[in-house]
Amino acid sequence: MNSRFIFSWKTLQRTWSDWRGSDGLPGISPDLPEEERDTVTKLLNECVAARHGAVTARQHAAGIGELYLTLNATGRRHFLEILADQFAVDQDQVREVSHRLAHSDDDETFRQQVLELREALISPRQQLLQQFNALPQGVKFLIDMRAELLGFLHDSPNLKRLDYDLQQLLATWFDVGFLRVKQLDWQSPAALLEKLMAYEAVHAISSWRDMRHRLEWDRQCYAFFHPVLPGEPLIFIEIALVKGLASSIQSLLDDQREDVDPQQADTAIFYSISNAQTGLKGISFGPFLIKKVVDSLSHSLPNLKTFSTLSPIPGFRRWLEKRLADNGSQHDKDSFATVLAEAAQLLDVAPTLAHVIDDPRWLENSEVCDLLKEPLLTLCARYLHERRERDSAPLDPVARFHLGNGARIEQLNWLGDVSSKGMRESCGLMINYLYALDDIKDNIEAYSQEKQIAAAPRIRKLISEHEPKLGPLSGLRKWGNRKGKGSA
């Protein structure tokens, strides 16, 4: 399994081998060649049949899981394809039961046929997957197996049906009502802190010194845990307590910066939200964690008035390059090309976005910065309001997350992330999404129903000034001058 597995795969193999009993596994090659797949199919059928009761079925499941762990990536893909293709629902049975249901003459018969239809819709592979819930670390095994499956989807689209079954099963087990929020600090177990370092997906934790700095008295970290995985964070959020909106991630993470007394801070900055388990993709924990953290901070630090993120804008540069190449208006191309040409001339590089932005000298050149600042901020504001065709949601994934949770676009930050990743993703820009507590509910409703985007007046002004040139936008959320708790 992948390196994030709670135990090494060899340890898990030994655990399941002891639990399963003395029966040996059949000799299966790591890449599961075609001539050996019938053997695996037979083992899966025996497990699903469960002729000798639940305990025997789970012992069979342990054997199946142990066999899976002996396979390499190619063998695991073949294994999952067998599970997807040969252990789906029995279509003939579903049609037969549906026919009887449609022709039921009385209420009792109708109710009975409904029950039979529900049973018929549970696929054999779902029955098998459910057996792992009772195995030692079986749930974590399924999480990691789905993480691998997601990596196979591009080349094996037939696995989508199996992925759907796994996601639905895990969503049931990981209902937010089962989860517990814990605050982590420097006294938390070292093994847990190591996992935070490994799972951090937004701003890499470079060392134990960096880890300790992120857990100082003006920093906080909260994570969601599930009772069956007490040592495995599902998602965690890192927070800095500051005065006013933070605009630069480098300044915020600088271990030489002056600490802020939490009792004097007026703003909580959520600067990193990381999903720790790839196999739980599509199962949303973030909104609930943010709400619980805000509630906790509001209670423990009543002086906090503003709750905001300092977030990346991961798709901006890619969108801008595409727009300039083939999808932008002629005005976009001509005006921004002129700016790039001037900046490139000052740097003595080719007049392209890549040559200018990827040259680190531009950050130290005030003339280049002055040339690029206004057009990049304007185009970024525009990007944040661009929509996907299929559902009219914002193009940017981080925007979709926070706007869907009731935040508003508050502030764009020039040179907010000057790291190579920041330049590669967003030309160095970052954004603050503000969680104004009095407005979250209304924002969620407006976004969920009509995909309206809440934005601060300064952002709306930036967009409206350039609408005649760039074209009109729809779905902007009207915003008053309310200053409830949480307003900037």
Side-chain angles (χ1 to χ4, degrees), residues 198-222:
Y199 293 152
E200 168 59 64
V202 184
H203 304 292
I205 301 174
S206 59
S207 63
W208 280 105
R209 176 179 175 178
D210 188 8
M211 179 82 259
R212 181 159 193 168
H213 172 62
R214 299 196 192 194
L215 298 172
E216 292 287 1
W217 72 320
D218 62 344
R219 306 299 170 99
Q220 299 199 13
C221 179
Y222 292 83

Short mmCIF file of all heavy atoms in Angstrom, two decimals, residues 198-222:
data_model
loop_
_atom_site.label_atom_id
_atom_site.label_comp_id
_atom_site.label_asym_id
_atom_site.label_seq_id
_atom_site.Cartn_x
_atom_site.Cartn_y
_atom_site.Cartn_z
N ALA A 198 3.77 14.99 6.95
CA ALA A 198 3.65 14.24 5.69
C ALA A 198 2.41 14.65 4.91
O ALA A 198 2.44 14.70 3.67
CB ALA A 198 3.62 12.75 5.99
N TYR A 199 1.31 14.94 5.61
CA TYR A 199 0.04 15.20 4.94
C TYR A 199 -0.15 16.66 4.52
O TYR A 199 -1.05 16.95 3.73
CB TYR A 199 -1.13 14.82 5.86
CG TYR A 199 -1.26 13.35 6.16
CD1 TYR A 199 -1.84 12.91 7.36
CD2 TYR A 199 -0.83 12.39 5.26
CE1 TYR A 199 -1.98 11.56 7.65
CE2 TYR A 199 -0.98 11.04 5.54
CZ TYR A 199 -1.54 10.63 6.73
OH TYR A 199 -1.68 9.30 7.01
N GLU A 200 0.64 17.58 5.07
CA GLU A 200 0.48 18.99 4.74
C GLU A 200 0.56 19.18 3.22
O GLU A 200 1.56 18.88 2.58
CB GLU A 200 1.56 19.82 5.42
CG GLU A 200 1.69 21.25 4.92
CD GLU A 200 0.42 22.06 5.08
OE1 GLU A 200 0.00 22.28 6.23
OE2 GLU A 200 -0.14 22.46 4.05
N ALA A 201 -0.55 19.66 2.64
CA ALA A 201 -0.66 19.72 1.19
C ALA A 201 -0.60 21.13 0.62
O ALA A 201 -0.53 21.30 -0.60
CB ALA A 201 -1.97 19.05 0.75
N VAL A 202 -0.65 22.15 1.48
CA VAL A 202 -0.71 23.52 0.98
C VAL A 202 0.64 24.21 1.10
O VAL A 202 1.18 24.74 0.12
CB VAL A 202 -1.79 24.32 1.74
CG1 VAL A 202 -1.93 25.72 1.15
CG2 VAL A 202 -3.13 23.59 1.69
N HIS A 203 1.22 24.21 2.31
CA HIS A 203 2.52 24.82 2.54
C HIS A 203 3.38 23.80 3.28
O HIS A 203 3.19 23.58 4.48
CB HIS A 203 2.38 26.11 3.35
CG HIS A 203 1.44 27.10 2.73
ND1 HIS A 203 1.72 27.76 1.55
CD2 HIS A 203 0.21 27.52 3.11
CE1 HIS A 203 0.70 28.55 1.24
NE2 HIS A 203 -0.22 28.43 2.17
N ALA A 204 4.31 23.19 2.59
CA ALA A 204 5.10 22.09 3.14
C ALA A 204 5.79 22.49 4.44
O ALA A 204 6.27 23.62 4.60
CB ALA A 204 6.14 21.65 2.12
N ILE A 205 5.79 21.55 5.38
CA ILE A 205 6.49 21.74 6.65
C ILE A 205 7.89 21.19 6.46
O ILE A 205 8.10 19.99 6.25
CB ILE A 205 5.76 21.01 7.80
CG1 ILE A 205 4.33 21.55 7.92
CG2 ILE A 205 6.51 21.19 9.12
CD1 ILE A 205 3.47 20.80 8.92
N SER A 206 8.88 22.06 6.52
CA SER A 206 10.23 21.71 6.09
C SER A 206 11.06 21.00 7.15
O SER A 206 12.03 20.32 6.81
CB SER A 206 10.97 22.97 5.64
OG SER A 206 11.04 23.91 6.71
N SER A 207 10.71 21.14 8.43
CA SER A 207 11.55 20.57 9.48
C SER A 207 10.76 20.53 10.79
O SER A 207 9.65 21.07 10.89
CB SER A 207 12.81 21.43 9.67
OG SER A 207 12.44 22.75 10.11
N TRP A 208 11.35 19.90 11.79
CA TRP A 208 10.72 19.89 13.11
C TRP A 208 10.67 21.31 13.69
O TRP A 208 9.74 21.65 14.42
CB TRP A 208 11.47 18.95 14.05
CG TRP A 208 11.10 17.52 13.83
CD1 TRP A 208 11.85 16.56 13.21
CD2 TRP A 208 9.87 16.88 14.22
NE1 TRP A 208 11.16 15.37 13.18
CE2 TRP A 208 9.94 15.54 13.80
CE3 TRP A 208 8.72 17.31 14.87
CZ2 TRP A 208 8.92 14.62 14.01
CZ3 TRP A 208 7.70 16.41 15.08
CH2 TRP A 208 7.79 15.08 14.66
N ARG A 209 11.68 22.11 13.37
CA ARG A 209 11.64 23.51 13.83
C ARG A 209 10.45 24.24 13.23
O ARG A 209 9.75 24.99 13.92
CB ARG A 209 12.94 24.20 13.44
CG ARG A 209 12.97 25.69 13.80
CD ARG A 209 14.28 26.34 13.42
NE ARG A 209 14.25 27.77 13.64
CZ ARG A 209 15.28 28.57 13.44
NH1 ARG A 209 16.43 28.09 13.00
NH2 ARG A 209 15.16 29.88 13.67
N ASP A 210 10.21 23.99 11.93
CA ASP A 210 9.06 24.59 11.27
C ASP A 210 7.76 24.07 11.90
O ASP A 210 6.81 24.85 12.13
CB ASP A 210 9.11 24.24 9.78
CG ASP A 210 8.07 24.98 8.95
OD1 ASP A 210 7.39 25.87 9.50
OD2 ASP A 210 7.92 24.67 7.75
N MET A 211 7.72 22.78 12.18
CA MET A 211 6.54 22.19 12.82
C MET A 211 6.27 22.86 14.16
O MET A 211 5.13 23.22 14.47
CB MET A 211 6.78 20.69 13.01
CG MET A 211 5.62 19.94 13.68
SD MET A 211 4.28 19.49 12.55
CE MET A 211 3.08 20.78 12.92
N ARG A 212 7.32 23.03 14.96
CA ARG A 212 7.13 23.64 16.28
C ARG A 212 6.66 25.09 16.15
O ARG A 212 5.78 25.54 16.92
CB ARG A 212 8.43 23.59 17.08
CG ARG A 212 8.29 24.20 18.47
CD ARG A 212 9.33 23.73 19.43
NE ARG A 212 8.98 24.10 20.80
CZ ARG A 212 9.59 23.63 21.87
NH1 ARG A 212 10.57 22.74 21.74
NH2 ARG A 212 9.21 24.00 23.07
N HIS A 213 7.22 25.79 15.16
CA HIS A 213 6.80 27.19 14.95
C HIS A 213 5.30 27.27 14.64
O HIS A 213 4.62 28.20 15.08
CB HIS A 213 7.61 27.80 13.81
CG HIS A 213 7.15 29.16 13.39
ND1 HIS A 213 7.16 30.24 14.23
CD2 HIS A 213 6.64 29.60 12.20
CE1 HIS A 213 6.69 31.30 13.59
NE2 HIS A 213 6.37 30.94 12.35
N ARG A 214 4.78 26.30 13.91
CA ARG A 214 3.36 26.31 13.55
C ARG A 214 2.46 25.91 14.70
O ARG A 214 1.22 25.94 14.57
CB ARG A 214 3.12 25.39 12.35
CG ARG A 214 3.88 25.82 11.11
CD ARG A 214 3.36 25.15 9.87
NE ARG A 214 4.26 25.35 8.73
CZ ARG A 214 3.93 25.11 7.49
NH1 ARG A 214 2.71 24.67 7.20
NH2 ARG A 214 4.79 25.28 6.51
N LEU A 215 3.06 25.53 15.82
CA LEU A 215 2.28 25.16 17.00
C LEU A 215 2.59 26.06 18.19
O LEU A 215 2.33 25.71 19.33
CB LEU A 215 2.55 23.69 17.36
CG LEU A 215 2.15 22.66 16.30
CD1 LEU A 215 2.63 21.27 16.68
CD2 LEU A 215 0.64 22.66 16.08
N GLU A 216 3.21 27.23 17.92
CA GLU A 216 3.50 28.18 19.00
C GLU A 216 2.20 28.74 19.58
O GLU A 216 1.11 28.49 19.08
CB GLU A 216 4.38 29.31 18.47
CG GLU A 216 5.80 28.88 18.07
CD GLU A 216 6.68 28.58 19.27
OE1 GLU A 216 6.20 28.67 20.41
OE2 GLU A 216 7.86 28.23 19.05
N TRP A 217 2.34 29.58 20.61
CA TRP A 217 1.15 30.00 21.36
C TRP A 217 0.20 30.87 20.54
O TRP A 217 -0.99 30.94 20.84
CB TRP A 217 1.57 30.72 22.64
CG TRP A 217 2.17 32.09 22.46
CD1 TRP A 217 3.03 32.49 21.49
CD2 TRP A 217 1.91 33.22 23.29
NE1 TRP A 217 3.35 33.81 21.65
CE2 TRP A 217 2.69 34.29 22.76
CE3 TRP A 217 1.14 33.46 24.41
CZ2 TRP A 217 2.69 35.56 23.32
CZ3 TRP A 217 1.15 34.72 24.98
CH2 TRP A 217 1.91 35.75 24.44
N ASP A 218 0.73 31.54 19.47
CA ASP A 218 -0.16 32.33 18.61
C ASP A 218 -0.58 31.56 17.37
O ASP A 218 -1.06 32.13 16.39
CB ASP A 218 0.49 33.66 18.23
CG ASP A 218 1.77 33.48 17.43
OD1 ASP A 218 2.32 32.36 17.44
OD2 ASP A 218 2.24 34.46 16.81
N ARG A 219 -0.37 30.24 17.39
CA ARG A 219 -0.78 29.36 16.30
C ARG A 219 -1.64 28.24 16.87
O ARG A 219 -1.44 27.82 18.02
CB ARG A 219 0.43 28.74 15.57
CG ARG A 219 1.44 29.76 15.08
CD ARG A 219 0.80 30.71 14.09
NE ARG A 219 1.65 31.83 13.77
CZ ARG A 219 2.40 31.91 12.68
NH1 ARG A 219 2.40 30.91 11.82
NH2 ARG A 219 3.13 32.97 12.45
N GLN A 220 -2.55 27.74 16.08
CA GLN A 220 -3.37 26.63 16.52
C GLN A 220 -3.59 25.66 15.37
O GLN A 220 -3.53 26.04 14.20
CB GLN A 220 -4.72 27.12 17.07
CG GLN A 220 -4.57 28.03 18.28
CD GLN A 220 -5.84 28.15 19.10
OE1 GLN A 220 -6.78 27.39 18.93
NE2 GLN A 220 -5.85 29.12 20.01
N CYS A 221 -3.81 24.42 15.73
CA CYS A 221 -4.05 23.39 14.72
C CYS A 221 -5.15 22.47 15.24
O CYS A 221 -5.09 21.99 16.37
CB CYS A 221 -2.77 22.59 14.45
SG CYS A 221 -2.97 21.28 13.22
N TYR A 222 -6.16 22.24 14.40
CA TYR A 222 -7.27 21.36 14.75
C TYR A 222 -7.38 20.27 13.68
O TYR A 222 -7.09 20.51 12.51
CB TYR A 222 -8.58 22.13 14.81
CG TYR A 222 -8.69 23.12 15.94
CD1 TYR A 222 -8.15 24.40 15.84
CD2 TYR A 222 -9.37 22.78 17.12
CE1 TYR A 222 -8.26 25.31 16.88
CE2 TYR A 222 -9.50 23.70 18.16
CZ TYR A 222 -8.94 24.96 18.03
OH TYR A 222 -9.06 25.86 19.05
#
